[in-house]
Amino acid sequence: MIATATTLNHHLWQQQRESKHPIELSILLTRMGFVAKVLTREISRAALVGKLGLVGEKNATGDAQKKLDVFSNEVVVSAFSETGLVAAIASEELDQVQLVECGSEAQYILCTDPLDGSSNTESSAAVGTIFGIYRRTTGGRCGSEADALQPGNKLVAAGYVLYGTSTVLVYSTGDRVDGFTLDPTLGEFILSHENIRCPEDGKLYSANLSYYQDWGTRVQSFVDYLGDRTTDSSYSLRYSGALVADVHRCLLEGGVYFYPGTQDQQDGKLRLLYENAPLAFVVEQAGGKASTGCDRILDLPIESIHQRSPLVIGSLELVDLYESFVQKSKQTRYSSIDEEEAASMYVGGCN
Ligand code: AHG
Ligand code: MN
Ligand code: MN
């Protein structure tokens, strides 16, 4: 089997030969493969080399940084800086856009969540890395913050790495979605999930239900519907605390992940530029859907790099179903929702 296995690098070369993407994206995605190998090693042995625990600082969005957050960010930034192709990097762990290279070759912008789900590291549960790649839009020799403030529909590549029971790298350059599993003995990513298609429907849902009381009544109605054992619906809850792991499961098996806004945090928790948009790009390319419940994630304007947005993502029909609960204009199918009550707690709803 291995003699004919397709490595990530070979696959990228094949796609490039078929003009699916330029050589620069092959180089950048190869680099992400290298980052994934380094982080696989360091995350798995973190407890043995003193890399667990907090550093005592908060990042730009107020999260307490872990040593592995900081380390992962350093690995990503140095690996991509060395390519000479990246003008600037926006990262969850950097307060501002970091300018890394000037000149005509540095035409790309990297947006990244270097370590997603880092609260899972102490318990050896799944974590991830999310990445989105844009082309520069501003003129001049050097990049600027404005280059990073592009909506997700301008992404030229995006993907994620899941560090779970195996390490899996999933990417799209806007043509298809492919997944690769790391063979640790070879040190190679091998094509294992070719041309991924997200099931149109599914039986899984993924959300932190401890926020139920803080969600609006329309979102609560959706959750009630999913959990209603008196009907034929037999949905199962799966929530890992790592967005990458939960979305990956929905992508492969069919399901829906949602992280709505609350009264206090109307835009929820997740960050648009380096969490929601790259994952939306991948899921849409695989035939799924991603929205805020009201608007398409990929069309949202990006005003600041750490901006948040609500997220509902996964199988087309389940995202549609969520929207039919929260969008007033689509509510004919669910007339049981008490509009007066909904209006009194409007969070997560839309017209
Ligand atoms: P990060 O570790 O990059 O800050 O992301 C954590 C995110 C996401 O991975 C996960 O789905 C969500 O936060 C979990 O938040 P709750 O603990 O509020 O459920
Ligand atoms: Mn994250
Ligand atoms: Mn993170």
Side-chain angles (χ1 to χ4, degrees):
M1 191 288 262
I2 285 300
T4 56
T6 304
T7 63
L8 173 62
N9 289 2
H10 186 65
H11 173 86
L12 289 167
W13 163 236
Q14 282 177 328
Q15 293 292 302
Q16 186 190 315
R17 240 180 6 183
E18 290 172 22
S19 302
K20 298 287 169 50
H21 62 247
I23 184 172
E24 289 83 358
L25 286 187
S26 289
I27 294 169
L28 294 173
L29 290 162
T30 300
R31 212 60 191 142
M32 186 48 75
F34 175 70
V35 165
K37 290 177 200 172
V38 173
L39 293 186
T40 297
R41 185 185 68 191
E42 296 302 319
I43 292 164
S44 64
R45 66 175 188 171
L48 307 177
V49 294
K51 278 205 175 84
L52 291 182
L54 299 168
V55 289
E57 303 284 329
K58 291 197 168 179
N59 67 18
T61 45
D63 296 338
Q65 280 182 313
K66 296 204 153 180
K67 289 179 195 167
L68 275 175
D69 284 318
V70 174
F71 176 81
S72 304
N73 185 63
E74 285 168 2
V75 171
V76 174
V77 170
S78 65
F80 278 85
S81 300
E82 283 164 9
T83 63
L85 300 174
V86 173
I89 298 175
S91 164
E92 182 191 347
E93 307 306 336
L94 297 171
D95 291 352
Q96 292 165 355
V97 170
Q98 183 163 323
L99 304 181
V100 292
E101 187 79 40
C102 296
S104 59
E105 285 194 333
Q107 288 302 318
Y108 292 88
I109 306 295
L110 176 72
C111 302
T112 183
D113 176 354
L115 191 61
D116 174 60
S118 57
S119 69
N120 281 359
T121 52
E122 258 60 23
S123 50
S124 305
V127 290
T129 297
I130 306 173
F131 61 93
I133 299 171
Y134 293 91
R135 274 192 73 86
R136 276 193 62 193
T137 49
T138 62
R141 257 180 55 73
C142 302
S144 69
E145 189 192 15
D147 287 311
L149 301 180
Q150 298 185 54
N153 58 32
K154 298 285 188 224
L155 281 161
V156 294
Y160 58 83
V161 182
L162 169 61
Y163 311 96
T165 53
S166 55
T167 297
V168 179
L169 186 154
V170 173
Y171 88 91
S172 176
T173 54
D175 180 56
R176 48 190 267 160
V177 180
D178 292 291
F180 302 79
T181 300
L182 181 62
D183 182 329
T185 60
L186 290 174
E188 290 276 10
F189 277 102
I190 306 291
L191 182 61
S192 51
H193 298 74
E194 191 173 1
N195 196 12
I196 296 170
R197 302 302 299 163
C198 182
E200 277 189 20
D201 205 353
K203 286 293 174 192
L204 299 175
Y205 67 108
S206 197
N208 188 339
L209 296 190
S210 61
Y211 299 120
Y212 183 90
Q213 295 296 336
D214 304 324
W215 290 332
T217 46
R218 295 183 189 181
V219 177
Q220 289 174 344
S221 299
F222 178 66
V223 174
D224 295 345
Y225 172 80
L226 294 174
D228 185 355
R229 290 292 171 211
T230 63
T231 67
D232 285 345
S233 68
S234 52
Y235 294 94
S236 286
L237 174 67
R238 295 283 184 275
Y239 192 72
S240 74
L243 176 64
V244 166
D246 292 323
V247 170
H248 185 64
R249 191 197 292 264
C250 292
L251 181 69
L252 296 188
E253 297 176 15
V256 61
Y257 174 102
F258 50 100
Y259 204 113
T262 63
Q263 204 76 52
D264 295 338
Q265 277 272 32
Q266 300 254 336
D267 289 324
K269 172 186 183 184
L270 302 173
R271 279 60 54 110
L272 179 56
L273 180 62
Y274 46 78
E275 292 183 312
N276 299 351
L279 294 178
F281 183 83
V282 170
V283 168
E284 280 201 8
Q285 287 302 323
K289 185 171 176 177
S291 82
T292 61
C294 310
D295 301 302
R296 184 179 178 229
I297 291 289
L298 294 182
D299 291 336
L300 295 178
I302 300 197
E303 278 139 23
S304 65
I305 60 169
H306 298 295
Q307 160 183 347
R308 301 173 197 269
S309 83
L311 177 67
V312 48
I313 187 167
S315 295
L316 186 69
E317 288 186 14
L318 284 172
V319 175
D320 278 345
L321 185 65
Y322 180 101
E323 290 183 347
S324 67
F325 273 90
V326 301
Q327 291 183 18
K328 193 176 176 191
S329 58
K330 289 190 185 174
Q331 272 176 9
T332 45
R333 284 168 63 196
Y334 301 98
S335 50
S336 63
I337 296 170
D338 182 331
E339 267 315 308
E340 265 185 40
E341 194 190 353
S344 71
M345 199 177 175
Y346 193 65
V347 178
C350 35
N351 287 317

